[in-house]
Amino acid sequence: MELPFKSRKLKDSIKRITDKAKNLNLDIESLLVYGVSKEEGVIVTGKEVGKNLSEYFYFSGKKIAYNPYRVNIGSIGLTNESFRGLMSPAYVIFEVDPTVHIEFLLLYLKSNIGLGLIKWYGDRGGVRNSLRISDLGEIDFPDISFNEQKLFYDDYIGKKLKVDALLSELNKQENYLASLKRSVLQSAIQGKLSKDWRIKNPNNEPLEKMLKLKRKNSGEELSIVNDSDEKSFDIPKTWKWVKLGDLTEIQNGYAFKSPNFSSEGIRLLRNINISIGRIDWSNVVYYPHLDIGNLDRFKLDINDIVISLDRPLISTGLKISIIKEDDLPAMLLQRVARISYSELRINHLFLYYWFNSNHFISNLSIEDSIGIPHISTKDLENKKIPLPPIEEQREIVSIVVKALMFCNELKNQIADCKKNLKDLLESFIIKFFGEDNVNKSQKISTHSKNNNFTRTIKYSSQTKLMELVELLKEHGKLHAEDLWKMSKHYDVQNIGDSIDKFYADLKEKIETESSIKEVENEKGYLELV
């Protein structure tokens, strides 16, 4: 492979660390266990119950460690001079000779060109690329002196400190915007945003007339909650507190049978498909049309509000969204709630903004009785919502839409500034190696993508959740993806963690137990030794 700078292979300058703790005179219990993450590099992971720590690798001082199955996205880190610890054999740990400045090497491997080379040499053709130490040795490294490496690294760090200071300020601005958006929503549901409108429209149709409309599926009129039952904040005199269950209909999804999930049919909306303010169909299952039967009541409609009943809150907000035309057709799976309503009583965007307000989120009752943080439809039904007349709701929505559009424009500008700053650092690296490198990693990635091939899928739902060795005994040679999906590690609710556990187990079976091996000349396939 041609590069626009003079290079040499890394294999003559790196040495893998494979010192098992059991072969050394160590107080194993006094040592911490480490792993590697993309964001933080080498981090403490803790000691898992039942793990034989004597089989773990021990290392100390400045070393580089990486996850061979996630290094292609930057899961690699460097330890310091005073480091001492244990790490699973699932990771690769190595040291460098005196010709390599180790911080420069780490910077190089995490740069765009370095990641491109990692993808090139680590493509195994399986579920995820894997970079073995021998693959790492084939990576092209700039053929420059140690001092030249150090000078560049020191210069880079000086520039990075300035960029980091600017990024820190931009992060503060992002946090301020998030607070501003929450403040706008809270002001909206308290009636503060529409104060001027109420003054200009004193003869607005009274709320009582709207409340006398019959509920959708019964002859009952809407009940009013006594103001004394809700003391979160005061509301305008023309508003009323109403139970959500009286104002809307809340429906849990249907327990579609997972063995019948298909690659075609009608989409099933699962809780993992609900993100903050959007539906994510990147991980989708289908249900055959023939098996739908009399389940039409679980079909979703445009403008339905859907909320995840399991793990409803994540760090950045509530897992809730509004169904759009592009999301249809789809059906509601169990553990997802659909909130349907009459637009004559409540504007769907006003309702959606209330769900995302501090008032709703801070009063959400999250339980953990089934081992998963969850909310119940009954709790949702009992929530009290401050309800203004319908015309005032529409005015509030109009004001909020404009405010949120302004906030989103500022957020996009901040995101662009952050990207430009990061690109500035990357361009500094690119110029050091030559302008042609801008396209180098793109060529590498494209070449790898073009190496796709068709294969016979041997996945069987009859042999699932099994040990890797047992699966290979049952099926013979298997592609890594099929082996993963039938293994005990497969978890559709947590794909990333599932793949990590699978490859950690596979690496142990290949390198430690020698019970499984890669099929020679058949990329991505595995068999028993």
Side-chain angles (χ1 to χ4, degrees):
M1 180 187 305
E2 287 188 12
L3 291 170
F5 55 85
K6 188 179 179 182
S7 64
R8 60 186 175 89
K9 299 295 184 181
L10 274 176
K11 59 186 174 184
D12 295 328
S13 299
I14 59 175
K15 178 185 176 183
R16 187 174 186 186
I17 305 299
T18 56
D19 298 326
K20 290 191 175 181
K22 67 180 180 180
N23 299 326
L24 304 169
N25 185 21
L26 297 169
D27 179 8
I28 295 177
E29 291 303 318
S30 69
L31 295 170
L32 295 173
V33 176
Y34 292 83
V36 184
S37 76
K38 175 185 175 182
E39 293 77 17
E40 301 176 71
V42 177
I43 55 171
V44 175
T45 59
K47 298 173 182 177
E48 294 183 46
V49 176
K51 286 291 185 181
N52 185 1
L53 298 182
S54 65
E55 294 290 335
Y56 277 39
F57 293 151
Y58 167 80
F59 64 111
S60 61
K62 275 191 176 183
K63 306 290 188 296
I64 290 180
Y66 66 84
N67 182 332
Y69 304 102
R70 292 178 66 84
V71 66
N72 61 326
I73 60 168
S75 186
I76 183 170
L78 172 67
T79 55
N80 57 38
E81 293 285 4
S82 61
F83 177 87
R84 291 177 72 249
L86 301 173
M87 189 171 280
S88 165
Y91 295 94
V92 174
I93 310 155
F94 68 92
E95 60 185 1
V96 299
D97 70 10
T99 67
V100 175
H101 186 275
I102 197 165
E103 288 89 353
F104 175 86
L105 173 58
L106 181 67
L107 174 63
Y108 177 72
L109 292 176
K110 288 176 76 74
S111 69
N112 285 343
I113 184 170
L115 292 175
L117 290 166
I118 285 170
K119 291 172 185 176
W120 176 271
Y121 287 108
D123 185 4
R124 305 252 70 77
V127 181
R128 180 176 287 163
N129 292 345
S130 167
L131 188 79
R132 300 169 296 192
I133 190 70
S134 58
D135 302 321
L136 178 67
E138 291 302 311
I139 284 182
D140 308 277
F141 183 70
D143 190 12
I144 56 178
S145 70
F146 180 92
N147 285 336
E148 288 175 298
Q149 296 172 45
K150 184 179 185 306
L151 283 172
F152 173 79
Y153 179 78
D154 290 344
D155 193 12
Y156 172 86
I157 290 300
K159 290 178 169 59
K160 187 176 185 301
L161 287 172
K162 295 176 182 179
V163 168
D164 286 347
L166 293 171
L167 289 173
S168 177
E169 181 58 35
L170 289 172
N171 287 334
K172 290 178 183 178
Q173 296 299 324
E174 274 188 330
N175 292 334
Y176 171 75
L177 270 180
S179 298
L180 178 61
K181 289 172 74 172
R182 289 193 295 269
S183 177
V184 166
L185 296 182
Q186 190 63 26
S187 296
I189 65 164
Q190 290 182 229
K192 293 180 180 179
L193 296 185
S194 51
K195 182 178 179 180
D196 291 342
W197 184 89
R198 286 193 300 276
I199 294 172
K200 293 177 182 178
N201 296 270
N203 298 319
N204 182 47
E205 185 174 288
L207 187 64
E208 284 73 13
K209 182 177 180 179
M210 182 180 76
L211 297 179
K212 287 182 180 179
L213 293 169
K214 303 297 183 184
R215 293 180 66 190
K216 187 174 180 182
N217 292 327
S218 73
E220 300 175 10
E221 292 184 2
L222 197 64
S223 59
I224 304 299
V225 176
N226 191 321
D227 289 84
S228 62
D229 294 338
E230 180 60 69
K231 291 294 183 182
S232 298
F233 51 82
D234 293 328
I235 56 174
K237 293 180 180 180
T238 53
W239 294 29
K240 297 293 181 182
W241 287 102
V242 180
K243 275 190 177 181
L244 184 64
D246 289 338
L247 183 63
T248 66
E249 293 182 14
I250 303 174
Q251 177 188 22
N252 198 342
Y254 182 72
F256 291 93
K257 297 177 181 178
S258 58
N260 294 343
F261 288 176
S262 173
S263 58
E264 56 184 20
I266 188 168
R267 287 184 294 194
L268 299 182
L269 182 71
R270 299 175 291 168
N271 50 51
I272 64 169
N273 298 125
I274 304 177
S275 188
I276 298 175
R278 65 185 181 87
I279 302 298
D280 180 3
W281 292 112
S282 60
N283 187 359
V284 60
V285 296
Y286 298 82
Y287 210 74
H289 287 288
L290 294 177
D291 295 336
I292 295 300
N294 297 317
L295 300 175
D296 282 353
R297 67 186 183 280
F298 294 101
K299 287 183 177 179
L300 290 163
D301 294 321
I302 193 166
N303 287 340
D304 277 346
I305 294 176
V306 288
I307 182 172
S308 174
L309 296 176
D310 289 342
R311 298 186 179 90
L313 287 176
I314 56 178
S315 60
T316 50
L318 186 69
K319 291 175 67 175
I320 189 169
S321 186
I322 298 176
I323 296 297
K324 299 179 175 61
E325 188 174 354
D326 290 345
D327 298 316
L328 301 176
M331 298 191 75
L332 195 67
L333 191 67
Q334 194 176 35
R335 307 309 303 154
V336 176
R338 182 239 305 269
I339 297 96
S340 52
Y341 44 85
S342 168
E343 286 281 357
L344 295 175
R345 277 208 181 107
I346 189 162
N347 181 283
H348 71 281
L349 284 177
F350 179 84
L351 178 58
Y352 179 71
Y353 294 151
W354 172 73
F355 272 118
N356 284 280
S357 69
N358 288 337
H359 172 247
F360 174 79
I361 292 175
S362 62
N363 287 292
L364 197 58
S365 300
I366 298 180
E367 302 176 6
D368 201 9
S369 57
I370 58 175
I372 299 173
H374 68 280
I375 54 177
S376 67
T377 54
K378 185 175 181 180
D379 180 56
L380 291 177
E381 289 171 349
N382 288 327
K383 291 298 178 192
K384 303 173 185 69
I385 177 172
L387 188 68
I390 191 66
E391 288 301 324
E392 188 170 352
Q393 291 179 40
R394 292 167 184 153
E395 174 65 17
I396 291 169
V397 165
S398 175
I399 295 171
V400 172
V401 166
K402 292 175 183 176
L404 294 185
M405 283 180 61
F406 175 71
C407 288
N408 288 334
E409 286 176 8
L410 290 179
K411 184 179 178 180
N412 290 335
Q413 290 176 18
I414 291 172
D416 288 341
C417 288
K418 291 171 74 172
K419 182 181 182 301
N420 291 338
L421 285 170
K422 292 173 182 177
D423 288 346
L424 185 64
L425 277 178
E426 187 62 34
S427 69
F428 180 60
I429 298 173
I430 289 170
K431 288 179 181 178
F432 182 74
F433 298 118
E435 291 292 344
D436 289 341
N437 275 306
V438 174
N439 299 318
K440 187 62 188 177
S441 59
Q442 295 174 350
K443 291 178 182 177
I444 289 169
S445 298
T446 301
H447 183 88
S448 297
K449 289 176 183 176
N450 289 337
N451 281 337
N452 293 335
F453 56 91
T454 57
R455 63 179 179 85
T456 302
I457 297 176
K458 296 177 71 174
Y459 168 80
S460 169
S461 62
Q462 303 304 312
T463 52
K464 292 196 306 182
L465 306 176
M466 292 172 61
E467 297 287 346
L468 303 187
V469 171
E470 295 303 314
L471 282 167
L472 291 171
K473 283 181 181 178
E474 179 81 20
H475 296 278
K477 178 179 66 177
L478 281 174
H479 190 270
E481 183 174 0
D482 295 333
L483 183 61
W484 164 55
K485 288 185 175 179
M486 290 189 287
S487 77
K488 65 180 183 180
H489 305 296
Y490 186 65
D491 180 5
V492 73
Q493 301 289 343
N494 195 344
I495 294 297
D497 188 50
S498 165
I499 294 177
D500 286 346
K501 289 178 179 177
F502 166 70
Y503 271 115
D505 188 9
L506 179 60
K507 183 175 176 62
E508 190 169 339
K509 296 291 189 297
I510 292 175
E511 298 186 2
T512 305
E513 299 177 13
S514 299
S515 56
I516 296 176
K517 65 179 181 179
E518 295 178 278
V519 179
E520 191 173 348
N521 297 324
E522 289 191 65
K523 184 179 288 187
Y525 280 86
L526 301 153
E527 62 184 357
L528 293 175
V529 173

